[in-house]
Amino acid sequence: MIAFGSAVADADSARVAAQAAAEEARGQLRGRKPVLAISFASPVYSDLGFVPGGVSSVLGGAPVVGGTSGGCLIGPSGVSARGVSVVVLGGDGIEAKTVTASLRSPSLLEVVPAAQALATAAENAATRGFPEFTCLVFAPGAGADGEALVSAVRKGVGPRVPLAGGLT
């Protein structure tokens, strides 16, 4: 069964906020193993680089994807100008694979090999009983043309794969 947990935390440092949000989100999995974390942090923190490690340290090394928020976070208590949000997916009914690619050209074709690696991982997962595949894509809004990014990812994963994500 797939499990889901989410939380938003605020602290003086991004690392502490990330760990607190990850801890709360993990608790909502009710003992199921974390498989993937999606995290967004307010850009006001000076230690943003510590968010992925802070989340991963609480979740036993589960991969972390995400970026910075556009200026606010929306959580159970409303809108916050500062904080870190964490969504955790886990349980026995889900697998996750993450890859990264540097964005170096206007066409973003350097993304194609990373997307192909995901498609290969999905094919392998299908042989283990995981036939569904969704590709989450996150990229910096200032450095990527969204249409070029979608086109490059499509070249790698194929036309039938659902895409989700956004520019941060």
Side-chain angles (χ1 to χ4, degrees):
M1 174 183 266
I2 297 174
F4 173 91
S6 67
V8 176
D10 181 13
D12 289 337
S13 79
R15 181 181 193 87
V16 171
Q19 289 172 323
E23 190 72 44
E24 184 178 339
R26 184 185 70 184
Q28 295 170 23
L29 296 182
R30 297 190 172 121
R32 293 182 187 95
K33 180 182 177 188
V35 175
L36 176 69
I38 303 166
S39 181
F40 288 93
S42 303
V44 299
Y45 286 113
S46 63
D47 64 336
L48 282 172
F50 291 105
V51 170
V55 172
S56 185
S57 71
V58 170
L59 300 179
V64 180
V65 298
T68 55
S69 64
C72 69
L73 296 167
I74 301 172
S77 60
V79 178
S80 176
R82 184 178 81 169
V84 176
S85 69
V86 176
V87 170
V88 181
L89 299 172
D92 296 330
I94 185 171
E95 283 190 7
K97 166 97 174 134
T98 60
V99 296
T100 60
S102 296
L103 306 180
R104 297 182 303 270
S105 68
S107 69
L108 302 178
L109 290 176
E110 58 274 12
V111 171
V112 174
Q116 289 171 328
L118 289 176
T120 299
E123 290 170 13
N124 292 336
T127 66
R128 294 187 306 279
F130 296 93
E132 303 298 326
F133 171 40
T134 299
C135 184
L136 298 175
V137 179
F138 299 103
D145 174 331
E147 289 182 29
L149 181 61
V150 169
S151 178
V153 172
R154 280 268 174 246
K155 284 181 172 121
V157 298
R160 67 177 175 80
V161 174
L163 297 179
L167 302 176
T168 62

